[in-house]
Amino acid sequence: MQLKIEVLVNSPGPHDSVRIRQPFEAIQRLGIDCRIHERPFRFQKCIRPNSLVIWQRPLPSSEERMKEHLEWLRERGCILLIDWDDHPELLPNAVVQEMKNQKMAALKYNHCILTSNTELAEYLSKFNPLCITLENGVEIIRDLNKEKHAQEFRINNKLKVFIGNLNRAQENTSIERKLRSWIERDQRIELVMVGQKDLEGGITGENVQAYEILDYQAYRSLLSTCHIALAPLENNKPNNCKTVLKWQECAAESVAVIGGPALYKKQLSSDTGIWVKSLADIVTKAEELSIDHMLRINLVTKAWNQLNNGWTLRNQLYWRLWLLGEIWKKRYIIDKGLVKRLKLAKNFGSKNNESFTCEPWNSC
């Protein structure tokens, strides 16, 4: 049976570009029968029988509702894969509470979870043991740009420092005082902030650019004008379950990254960025890097090369497609595993839920 893919984008926005939209649009360009749908979904209209359904971050209204979604899909010969790329504890509090109220139903009632980090896969496997890691890969990679780092920035020029740490109030608060002091003390530095509501009140001035969350292309264009990016992540389990996507995007735009203490040191080479031991070191290292243009050149060159040697969508696309094909080939075995795990009847057949719609991911 020919592979048919239905992709349900439940959380549309700039954050879904790399994880969902770009790879599946690339799969479409290969001639695969793949359709992408945005909420609200009416299953009868958008899900074809005998298809591989990939649902991004579903948030049903209840545990029972998620069971019914799964029932409806199984009755029509479909396999349900949930794409889940973040530790639940990093989501907004309202979403986390809603998931707990539903007894984590979206993570339990599915055939397989697709995720982006091996540690996250290990955590999510307690809800469904069939949990597969598909790392992110960026599609847009500009030519290596050493020129913007080639010499010390002149008195009339600015060295741009980027921070776009979404939903990281604790990390941002911990560096705010030092960051504000640096910007006020060194007028050659320009801070570029995207989506940083918790920093906007404390760091202001003519050397500060503050933006709302941008669409993906605008975000990447803005990032390309920067020299250094700050990626502070407190060292804990949820943060180590994230991906190095921010580094990938910076590498694609020749921006030097200062990150950690979580995640980056564990995932990346020490010569492709500066990985701090403490959040207190982030701004200090940024100051040092701002005056060392040769180190910036070395870092962005090594990062750009490492990105192109395996972290691109181009490198990963055929692996993704092969994996989805193998899941579809083994759909009967996978469905038997689901039935055994959830102790379901072999055929649900109890309802005809033709009018199902999914609830939106309101808070994310």
Side-chain angles (χ1 to χ4, degrees):
M1 188 180 298
Q2 184 179 3
L3 177 63
K4 296 181 293 186
I5 303 174
E6 306 286 3
V7 181
L8 308 181
V9 183
N10 199 49
S11 181
H15 48 278
D16 75 49
S17 295
V18 172
R19 183 69 191 165
I20 299 294
R21 203 167 300 278
Q22 289 177 4
F24 287 105
E25 286 177 351
I27 284 174
Q28 287 176 333
R29 291 194 292 272
L30 292 176
I32 305 302
D33 188 358
C34 174
R35 306 192 309 182
I36 301 173
H37 311 276
E38 292 191 11
R39 70 184 193 209
F41 313 118
R42 193 166 291 276
F43 276 20
Q44 183 185 24
K45 292 184 177 180
C46 67
I47 304 296
R48 294 170 290 180
N50 303 309
S51 59
L52 185 67
V53 180
I54 301 173
W55 196 350
Q56 179 220 20
R57 290 191 182 187
L59 189 67
S61 57
S62 66
E63 181 183 18
E64 185 61 32
R65 195 58 159 166
M66 193 67 199
K67 289 181 184 179
E68 291 172 347
H69 288 318
L70 180 59
E71 175 183 355
W72 192 94
L73 292 166
R74 286 187 66 240
E75 285 177 343
R76 284 149 185 81
C78 298
I79 292 289
L80 175 61
L81 279 58
I82 298 300
D83 191 274
W84 198 279
D85 64 341
D86 223 342
H87 194 289
E89 290 180 19
L90 296 177
L91 300 172
N93 291 335
V95 175
V96 175
Q97 187 57 52
E98 185 67 18
M99 291 180 68
K100 290 179 179 177
N101 293 341
Q102 301 164 9
K103 300 180 182 178
M104 311 301 276
L107 298 174
K108 290 193 298 185
Y109 296 102
N110 59 77
H111 287 91
C112 174
I113 298 175
L114 299 178
T115 191
S116 52
N117 174 298
T118 53
E119 287 197 40
L120 181 56
E122 180 182 358
Y123 170 80
L124 296 176
S125 65
K126 67 183 182 181
F127 304 107
N128 182 346
L130 187 53
C131 194
I132 298 174
T133 301
L134 268 179
E135 293 184 336
N136 293 319
V138 293
E139 181 179 41
I140 304 168
I141 303 176
R142 303 187 207 276
D143 292 339
L144 179 61
N145 184 358
K146 298 180 183 180
E147 287 72 21
K148 67 180 178 182
H149 300 282
Q151 58 185 337
E152 289 305 318
F153 49 100
R154 299 186 183 94
I155 193 67
N156 292 326
N157 292 334
K158 298 288 186 180
L159 185 137
K160 293 188 175 184
V161 178
F162 178 89
I163 182 165
N165 234 25
L166 300 182
N167 299 321
R168 294 294 176 274
Q170 184 171 338
E171 284 93 339
N172 287 348
T173 299
S174 70
I175 68 171
E176 180 179 344
R177 182 180 58 81
K178 282 189 174 181
L179 189 56
R180 182 175 62 247
S181 174
W182 180 31
I183 302 302
E184 292 173 351
R185 189 172 65 255
D186 191 341
Q187 293 299 303
R188 297 171 299 174
I189 302 298
E190 187 167 79
L191 183 64
V192 179
M193 303 190 299
V194 175
Q196 302 304 289
K197 292 293 187 184
D198 46 307
L199 282 176
E200 286 183 13
I203 303 180
T204 58
E206 61 181 25
N207 284 346
V208 178
Q209 298 181 31
Y211 297 87
E212 299 288 337
I213 295 177
L214 304 170
D215 68 56
Y216 190 71
Q217 296 297 335
Y219 152 68
R220 286 290 300 272
S221 295
L222 181 65
L223 182 62
S224 71
T225 68
C226 297
H227 302 83
I228 297 171
L230 308 183
L233 285 179
E234 185 181 6
N235 196 12
N236 56 42
K237 177 69 173 178
N239 281 339
N240 282 312
C241 288
K242 291 183 62 63
T243 73
V244 294
L245 177 57
K246 186 69 67 181
W247 172 87
Q248 291 176 287
E249 293 165 338
C250 288
E253 302 292 359
S254 303
V255 178
V257 178
I258 303 174
L263 184 68
Y264 295 97
K265 188 175 182 179
K266 298 176 69 173
Q267 297 280 332
L268 297 164
S269 303
S270 59
D271 58 357
T272 61
I274 295 178
W275 318 130
V276 301
K277 295 180 179 179
S278 168
L279 289 175
D281 298 330
I282 288 275
V283 177
T284 301
K285 293 297 184 182
E287 290 191 61
E288 294 172 0
L289 189 58
S290 73
I291 59 176
D292 192 342
H293 68 283
M294 286 307 302
L295 178 55
R296 294 200 306 273
I297 290 173
N298 289 336
L299 291 174
V300 300
T301 301
K302 293 287 181 61
W304 191 88
N305 287 331
Q306 183 168 334
L307 176 70
N308 279 276
N309 286 333
W311 293 83
T312 67
L313 178 59
R314 181 186 66 251
N315 296 136
Q316 297 176 359
L317 185 59
Y318 286 96
W319 153 248
R320 283 174 177 262
L321 187 55
W322 175 85
L323 179 62
L324 295 176
E326 289 299 300
I327 290 173
W328 183 245
K329 287 178 186 177
K330 295 176 173 60
R331 59 192 179 275
Y332 297 113
I333 297 173
I334 292 172
D335 189 65
K336 284 182 180 179
L338 172 84
V339 170
K340 183 177 180 180
R341 174 170 61 88
L342 298 178
K343 299 180 181 178
L344 301 173
K346 286 188 178 179
N347 295 297
F348 281 122
S350 59
K351 291 176 184 157
N352 184 20
N353 298 309
E354 298 277 310
S355 61
F356 278 1
T357 60
C358 92
E359 284 68 26
W361 185 271
N362 291 320
S363 304
C364 190

